[in-house]
Amino acid sequence: KSALLRCAPRWSSFLPLTGLMCVLLLVFVSVASASRDVVSENNETWRGPAGETRGDSHNQTNSTAHKKAFPVLSFNYEHVRKPFEISLWILLALLMKLGFHIIPGVQNIVPESCLLIGVGLLVGGIIKAIGEEAPVLDTKLFFLYLLPPIILDAGYFLPIRPFTENMGTILVFAVVGTLWNTFFIGGMIYGVCRIEGGQLASVDPLSCLLFGTIVSAVDPVAVLAVFEEIHINELLHILVFGESLLNDAVTVVLYHLFEEFTHAGTVTVVDAILGVVCFFVVSLGGILVGAIYGILGAFTSRFTSHTRVIEPLFVFLYSYMAYLSAEVFHLSGIMSLIACGVVMRPYVEANVSHKSYTTIKYFLKMWSSVSETLIFIFLGVSTVAGPHAWNWTFVIVTVVLCLVSRVLGVIGLTYIINKFRIVKLTKKDQFIVAYGGLRGAIAFSLGFLLTNSEMKNMFLTAIITVIFFTVIVQGMTIRPLVDLLAVKKKKESKRSINEEIHTQFLDHLLTGIEDICGHYGHHHWKDKLNRFNKAYVKKWLIAGERSTEPQLISFYNKMEMKQAMMLVESGSTAQLPTIVSSVSMQNIKPRGPARQRAIPSISKSREQEIRKILRANLQKTRQRLRSYSRHDLMIDPFEDNVSEVRFRRQRVEMERRMSHYLTVPANRQETPPVRKVCFESEHKVYTYDDSKSPRGWTAEPDPSPPDAVSLLNESSQRANQSSEHRAKHNDELRAKVPDEKEEQDQLKLSRCLSDPGPNKEEDLS
Amino acid sequence: YDTFMTVSCHSYVDTSISLEQIENLHKRFQRLSDNEETISRKHLDSIPSLDNNPIKKQIIEAFFDKRNQHQDEVGSCEEIGFEQFLMVMSHFRPPSLKTTEEEKEAMRKEKLRFLFNMHDTGNDGTITLVEYRKVVEELLSKSGDIGQEAAKAIADAAMLEVASTNVPHMDPDDFYEGITFEHFEQILKGLEMETRMYIRFLDVETPTLRCGKSTS
């Protein structure tokens, strides 16, 4: 019965949703067709067989306009047609995406990309059935609007360390691998065409090579879409993904090369050499363009401290300009975009506010998600729409050759690469790299760009088949294969401060050992680059005091910020998952007499940010608390302190949780004397001893100026209360039965808390 | 020279450093020591490119630390010979395709032990809070005042993290003495030391080196 009950809500939400989606689908399609009908209707009405009289009456109505009633409601679709259709398409795409996530179980079997292609096919089929012309994946639309957000998202969040560590491997796969694929597929296809004869006999070698170029490039969109869901380990992910990004340069050069040759007709050695030169120009030029825009963007972000709202726009616009500028010169737009994102990121992140950082992150994710969805849907629609010329031999041979050449290429290259790698690629790794070479929409768009010939349709059909095969078959089966082969998955643990300390320590250690050996290895050069960066570049590109902040401290501050945000977001009613241990600073600090301790402070701006967060949350806390505390009446002369006490107790709880990162000085056991410490921005420490005050309370005047942050400690409870304590963590703000004994042992926190301003204090009681 | 080399190679036949690498290191050693038998701290101190390194002192100290010689001694020497130099260097060899899982595990332990010894300046088998603070301070020593102030907070937070992960439930009475080697291993197990802590010995180059065989 309970199982049924559990299933019931799911099914009940499932049916209306699919119903909704179907309705929307129909609405969309009918509107799309209606739009065209309306247009043609409007034109026909005035010219139809009854047009004359109609026309006369229309003219008459025009001339006697003052007699015609004022149109309260009129229909003018043409006016908004284009944006309306675009929005409707995007809405449809996103609703589909939503649907897939709601329908249970589908997600685990079929990757999203396949589902979206399926939807595209469906929509395309419907549109074709109605007899309308379906929108095709226009090349300009794809390359200028749909592709850049995905690449920018990938480039901006590219994990730099694994990327640079494996750069050699990635480059070999991208350049040599793509070249191998191109020539192998092109050559073999030509051979097969020659052998087959018939329809295929007219295919010339250059066209075959061109076809080979188009179909051999691993596609970043498809790789991202599929690999995102299988959570494979970082090394394999970066290898396949890096390859898909960097092979763009090769693809661009080869494509233009072969296209030129096809028109020119003959190939000379000089042309071949120029081709090689062109490759270097395209890739290095693209990177240069991207780097220039990246530096410009970083420099601009240095001055945006007063106009925080437009900060994210600079990131997006500079990156897009980098892409477009590279495309102007036929350089590799993808590499330019990646270079821009990579160069810009560390400086921009140091300069922009936290909100802008979040905005950038979420906008990029959002745009890339929409783009990806639209690409796959359009792929499906275009498949139904496009002109096809199906040739069994050609298509089958293409698909087989793609697989074979990929496998051969990977195995051969890995054999060579492993001689130079420290962490060798195992057979499992090679299999995943080979299997993960998915083709996608780039191949399709490039195919679309081909000049019209009889070959084009045949090529296009073959390309589409390869894409479908890789995305659907390989995409669907890669997840069970990964599980079957027990490939290492991505480790989910978040970075800890210890790991960060030791990563840095290792870097310096290895650099030092290299210096002692007299060996200029890559640690040496990396160290040199870092020092150059710190000495010159950061000064120019980062505003204010952040320019001299060492990386370890940035990391530490980031972690503190994250803790604070987590506290705020989790509110007080939810469990904090991370704090499962009862270890606090008191267990670590060496015992000693109470003494003045200089507590290091974090920089002032950080302090302010954290204080703001705390204050905001404490306000929330206070509001909630007020509604609870009214029910707890204490008959006690100090009653008016109780709510304040409880309130402060909650604050202490929270700040104690904060003590994981914000250092809290050690406190002692059992009963007070309780030490309270607050410090000001001038790093002075005041230590108060509470033992002199009655009942453990102290009433102190506010000793500190409004902008002091105090880190509090509380008297630790007796041992048997420590578990209770943890329970209190969980239901911090629920009304508790007042326990007088507890109250007595409670610490009354000093007023030098993070709440400046008298009006706030008044609100307490 | 030849007998010396055979002796060295014999002792290091299981450290998987090739003969060529040993030769290169020997040449470097001779250059550092001005052709004497042993080097002392001042020889290593005088390497110019080390001056930019924030943990220069710790690195140099590691060479003279007896614990890194795998002979169960503690303390530090004043001078070391080529054998000891090579012993320290062998901590930085990379794993190969033929290394088995147990060997990788042993390698990882060895490298972690090296790091641990670098931190544990008190020779007592644990890294106390004071020692850890020193580590972070040294790391940030080239970063001016900002570094020094934050170093303590960072070290404390790091220590707290070690304690929380390894000993989740401590009574308020308990005191966490220091990071033991097991705890150290535990917190750094995500870093995969055996694949990160290595130097490519293959192309050691100094102005006086020649590739291949040379008579010294």
Side-chain angles (χ1 to χ4, degrees):
Chain A
K1 218 201 298 186
S2 56
L4 267 176
L5 283 175
R6 255 184 289 123
C7 287
R10 272 196 306 185
W11 281 107
S12 62
S13 66
F14 169 60
L15 285 170
L17 193 68
T18 31
L20 179 65
M21 289 200 307
C22 294
V23 165
L24 265 158
L25 201 58
L26 286 170
V27 164
F28 163 70
V29 170
S30 55
V31 167
S33 56
S35 68
R36 290 182 186 81
D37 292 342
V38 165
V39 172
S40 42
E41 246 180 44
N42 278 336
N43 289 336
E44 280 176 2
T45 321
W46 313 129
R47 285 182 243 106
E52 294 307 322
T53 36
R54 284 275 199 99
D56 284 340
S57 68
H58 172 66
N59 287 333
Q60 273 185 339
T61 18
N62 266 345
S63 57
T64 55
H66 58 274
K67 282 207 195 129
K68 186 177 161 205
F70 182 76
V72 175
L73 200 61
S74 55
F75 184 83
N76 185 1
Y77 181 64
E78 266 315 292
H79 186 53
V80 295
R81 180 155 160 243
K82 204 149 169 71
F84 193 87
E85 283 185 353
I86 295 176
S87 308
L88 210 49
W89 269 109
I90 299 181
L91 196 59
L92 169 78
L94 295 177
L95 283 171
M96 291 297 137
K97 205 175 158 94
L98 191 70
F100 298 142
H101 284 272
I102 293 186
I103 301 175
V106 174
Q107 267 279 288
N108 296 330
I109 309 172
V110 189
E112 209 177 271
S113 40
C114 305
L115 291 170
L116 290 169
I117 291 186
V119 167
L121 286 173
L122 193 67
V123 171
I126 294 179
I127 293 185
K128 196 155 190 179
I130 299 183
E132 293 300 331
E133 201 187 303
V136 190
L137 189 57
D138 181 23
T139 308
K140 197 170 102 161
L141 171 72
F142 176 74
F143 276 114
L144 291 185
Y145 299 112
L146 289 180
L147 189 62
I150 301 179
I151 303 295
L152 179 60
D153 179 38
Y156 197 78
F157 293 109
L158 196 68
I160 294 294
R161 197 176 263 266
F163 188 70
T164 46
E165 279 174 10
N166 294 299
M167 182 66 95
T169 315
I170 294 176
L171 275 176
V172 168
F173 275 129
V175 177
V176 182
T178 312
L179 282 173
W180 156 259
N181 279 345
T182 305
F183 286 104
F184 185 74
I185 294 179
M188 297 294 277
I189 286 274
Y190 182 61
V192 167
C193 288
R194 277 267 152 267
I195 297 175
E196 267 296 305
Q199 185 193 2
L200 303 173
S202 52
V203 176
D204 60 306
L206 275 173
S207 304
C208 282
L209 282 174
L210 188 56
F211 176 72
T213 311
I214 298 175
V215 94
S216 66
V218 178
D219 186 80
V221 179
V223 165
L224 263 178
V226 168
F227 271 54
E228 278 299 297
E229 298 180 1
I230 58 178
H231 298 300
I232 210 165
N233 69 54
E234 207 175 43
L235 172 68
L236 288 177
H237 187 260
I238 201 71
L239 281 181
V240 182
F241 183 59
E243 180 195 343
S244 68
L245 289 176
L246 294 186
N247 68 16
D248 180 60
V250 182
T251 311
V252 163
V253 170
L254 285 176
Y255 185 82
H256 287 301
L257 208 65
F258 289 136
E259 228 192 355
E260 287 293 319
F261 290 168
T262 326
H263 291 312
T266 53
V267 184
T268 63
V269 180
V270 179
D271 291 328
I273 295 180
L274 281 180
V276 173
V277 172
C278 184
F279 166 70
F280 284 108
V281 167
V282 161
S283 51
L284 294 175
I287 295 178
L288 187 68
V289 168
I292 291 176
Y293 273 100
I295 292 181
L296 277 177
F299 190 64
T300 313
S301 75
R302 183 180 162 186
F303 302 105
T304 54
S305 48
H306 297 290
T307 46
R308 293 280 185 202
V309 195
I310 56 174
E311 269 171 347
L313 276 177
F314 283 118
V315 173
F316 303 141
L317 287 173
Y318 275 111
S319 313
Y320 196 46
M321 292 285 285
Y323 181 76
L324 295 175
S325 310
E327 287 290 323
V328 166
F329 297 102
H330 273 186
L331 305 174
S332 167
I334 289 184
M335 294 185 85
S336 157
L337 206 46
I338 303 278
C340 184
V342 164
V343 167
M344 213 195 305
R345 186 180 176 199
Y347 308 108
V348 162
E349 281 193 355
N351 282 329
V352 299
S353 70
H354 187 75
K355 283 193 190 149
S356 296
Y357 169 71
T358 310
T359 309
I360 294 175
K361 186 165 113 169
Y362 275 103
F363 261 84
L364 282 178
K365 297 279 175 214
M366 182 185 80
W367 270 327
S368 71
S369 190
V370 170
S371 274
E372 194 181 292
T373 313
L374 277 175
I375 287 177
F376 283 115
I377 289 190
F378 270 122
L379 207 54
V381 172
S382 311
T383 310
V384 175
H388 290 300
W390 183 269
N391 185 313
W392 277 101
T393 333
F394 194 73
V395 170
I396 302 278
V397 167
T398 311
V399 173
V400 168
L401 276 178
C402 279
L403 285 174
V404 167
S405 82
R406 176 82 182 157
V407 170
L408 286 178
V410 167
I411 292 182
L413 287 175
T414 315
Y415 178 73
I416 302 175
I417 290 173
N418 267 344
K419 293 194 197 301
F420 298 98
R421 278 182 69 92
I422 297 294
V423 182
K424 317 281 184 195
L425 294 176
T426 64
K427 291 239 176 336
K428 263 194 238 171
D429 297 337
Q430 290 174 41
F431 176 74
I432 297 290
V433 170
Y435 207 66
L438 307 174
R439 292 9 180 220
I442 290 186
F444 181 78
S445 311
L446 284 177
F448 229 74
L449 272 178
L450 288 172
T451 47
N452 270 317
S453 63
E454 330 93 60
M455 293 304 116
K456 177 178 169 181
N457 295 339
M458 194 169 67
F459 286 172
L460 218 48
T461 313
I463 292 173
I464 290 185
T465 316
V466 172
I467 295 177
F468 271 44
F469 182 81
T470 54
V471 172
I472 296 179
V473 173
Q474 284 177 234
M476 266 210 280
T477 52
I478 201 169
R479 195 202 295 246
L481 276 172
V482 160
D483 290 334
L484 193 69
L485 291 174
V487 179
K488 254 195 305 183
K489 294 283 185 95
K490 182 156 68 167
K491 53 179 170 70
E492 288 302 336
S493 59
K494 58 177 196 251
R495 294 271 281 175
S496 73
I497 186 88
N498 281 297
E499 282 185 2
E500 181 69 22
I501 291 177
H502 282 95
T503 310
Q504 301 245 332
F505 192 84
L506 255 186
D507 276 342
H508 289 298
L509 173 65
L510 292 174
T511 312
I513 297 287
E514 279 187 0
D515 288 331
I516 291 180
C517 277
H519 161 222
Y520 289 163
H522 80 278
H523 281 105
H524 179 92
W525 295 115
K526 206 162 72 159
D527 188 59
K528 266 215 162 100
L529 186 67
N530 277 337
R531 274 188 285 125
F532 172 73
N533 188 17
K534 200 162 95 162
Y536 299 106
V537 183
K538 275 191 183 171
K539 283 205 174 54
W540 277 97
L541 297 181
I542 299 185
E545 60 183 26
R546 299 286 307 271
S547 62
T548 48
E549 196 177 59
Q551 192 191 345
L552 187 58
I553 297 184
S554 322
F555 181 83
Y556 174 66
N557 289 333
K558 241 194 261 183
M559 301 288 302
E560 277 185 13
M561 190 74 80
K562 267 198 213 148
Q563 279 290 92
M565 301 296 288
M566 234 177 25
L567 265 181
V568 171
E569 281 170 17
S570 73
S572 321
T573 50
Q575 258 186 355
L576 254 198
T578 53
I579 314 284
V580 289
S581 94
S582 63
V583 179
S584 69
M585 288 311 295
Q586 67 191 66
N587 298 106
I588 296 178
K589 292 294 173 80
R591 306 287 172 75
R595 57 182 183 276
Q596 295 241 335
R597 219 169 301 182
I599 296 170
S601 83
I602 49 192
S603 74
K604 186 139 186 237
S605 57
R606 292 278 183 203
E607 219 179 272
Q608 278 176 354
E609 282 192 82
I610 294 181
R611 208 182 325 117
K612 240 193 300 185
I613 294 169
L614 276 180
R615 195 182 308 144
N617 193 35
L618 294 181
Q619 276 186 318
K620 272 195 264 173
T621 307
R622 191 186 307 133
Q623 283 162 7
R624 271 187 235 147
L625 188 56
R626 231 179 302 152
S627 59
Y628 284 116
S629 66
R630 245 177 284 146
H631 303 292
D632 296 313
L633 292 178
M634 281 258 295
I635 308 163
D636 185 86
F638 288 85
E639 184 180 300
D640 50 353
N641 285 328
V642 163
S643 56
E644 184 180 283
V645 159
R646 185 169 289 114
F647 165 60
R648 296 207 193 262
R649 192 205 314 171
Q650 315 309 344
R651 245 192 309 206
V652 163
E653 299 287 335
M654 277 208 330
E655 304 224 9
R656 187 172 182 277
R657 284 195 227 172
M658 290 290 287
S659 76
H660 193 267
Y661 276 95
L662 294 175
T663 337
V664 176
N667 52 358
R668 299 236 303 264
Q669 294 314 291
E670 302 298 343
T671 51
V674 172
R675 256 172 283 120
K676 294 175 295 300
V677 172
C678 61
F679 73 91
E680 303 173 325
S681 7
E682 300 93 43
H683 314 295
K684 285 200 281 242
V685 171
Y686 301 101
T687 316
Y688 303 96
D689 200 351
D690 212 12
S691 55
K692 309 185 197 81
S693 48
R695 280 180 96 244
W697 305 126
T698 1
E700 279 162 354
D702 188 347
S704 57
D707 62 342
V709 174
S710 82
L711 304 173
L712 310 159
N713 55 358
E714 49 174 287
S715 71
S716 62
Q717 285 76 22
R718 285 153 289 217
N720 58 4
Q721 274 195 343
S722 58
S723 49
E724 239 179 285
H725 216 241
R726 220 170 303 142
K728 281 187 215 146
H729 274 221
N730 297 338
D731 45 10
E732 199 182 38
L733 285 186
R734 310 231 175 82
K736 295 189 243 302
V737 177
D739 184 358
E740 200 153 330
K741 206 156 60 124
E742 245 174 63
E743 297 293 334
Q744 287 197 353
D745 289 333
Q746 271 314 309
L747 161 70
K748 174 165 193 238
L749 310 177
S750 82
R751 288 194 185 227
C752 59
L753 267 181
S754 48
D755 275 327
N759 42 350
K760 295 205 174 108
E761 296 294 306
E762 278 160 10
D763 282 345
L764 274 183
S765 46
Chain B
Y1 172 69
D2 284 326
T3 42
F4 174 75
M5 286 307 283
T6 31
V7 163
S8 309
C9 299
H10 187 68
S11 354
Y12 295 108
V13 74
D14 60 341
T15 60
S16 65
I17 306 182
S18 73
L19 188 56
E20 189 185 342
Q21 291 162 354
I22 298 180
E23 265 188 45
N24 288 336
L25 285 173
H26 186 69
K27 292 200 180 83
R28 179 66 179 171
F29 183 85
Q30 301 227 293
R31 193 155 175 273
L32 283 175
S33 70
D34 300 321
N35 283 319
E36 288 173 30
E37 288 291 318
T38 58
I39 54 174
S40 69
R41 285 182 181 77
K42 69 168 168 42
H43 288 115
L44 291 179
D45 244 344
S46 58
I47 300 176
S49 40
L50 264 189
D51 288 332
N52 290 313
N53 204 313
I55 54 170
K56 168 180 177 178
K57 282 203 291 288
Q58 275 89 332
I59 299 178
I60 294 180
E61 201 50 46
F63 277 88
F64 297 91
D65 191 342
K66 282 197 189 145
R67 289 174 294 177
N68 290 329
Q69 298 299 325
H70 293 191
Q71 280 166 359
D72 295 329
E73 289 174 9
V74 264
S76 64
C77 329
E78 282 306 313
E79 297 184 330
I80 55 170
F82 180 63
E83 273 192 41
Q84 286 95 347
F85 182 77
L86 204 54
M87 195 68 201
V88 171
M89 282 302 190
S90 74
H91 286 97
F92 294 96
R93 68 191 187 282
S96 67
L97 251 181
K98 301 191 213 73
T99 326
T100 62
E101 277 309 310
E102 302 92 47
E103 283 173 6
K104 278 204 186 132
E105 187 61 38
M107 216 186 232
R108 184 173 345 129
K109 256 195 158 69
E110 188 191 327
K111 295 182 196 254
L112 280 174
R113 189 87 226 175
F114 186 84
L115 281 182
F116 189 82
N117 289 338
M118 280 183 86
H119 297 329
D120 180 20
T121 46
N123 282 337
D124 59 354
T126 57
I127 305 177
T128 62
L129 183 62
V130 173
E131 287 167 351
Y132 209 34
R133 275 188 190 157
K134 188 91 181 36
V135 170
V136 180
E137 265 172 37
E138 288 295 313
L139 254 187
L140 295 173
S141 57
K142 297 275 177 197
S143 315
D145 292 328
I146 303 180
Q148 293 313 302
E149 290 155 16
K152 213 151 177 204
I154 296 176
D156 291 343
M159 196 77 169
L160 184 61
E161 194 182 72
V162 178
S164 331
T165 21
N166 284 305
V167 192
H169 300 295
M170 287 181 82
D171 290 332
D173 270 340
D174 296 342
F175 177 60
Y176 185 69
E177 293 292 334
I179 309 178
T180 60
F181 184 61
E182 287 75 31
H183 295 174
F184 192 68
E185 269 184 291
Q186 181 66 22
I187 52 164
L188 290 187
K189 70 174 191 282
L191 275 186
E192 287 181 2
M193 236 8 116
E194 72 273 13
T195 51
R196 292 183 69 143
M197 189 166 141
Y198 68 90
I199 300 284
R200 282 179 194 266
F201 282 140
L202 299 170
D203 36 341
V204 178
E205 49 173 358
T206 56
T208 57
L209 264 190
R210 304 264 179 278
C211 303
K213 319 266 181 294
S214 76
T215 54
S216 80

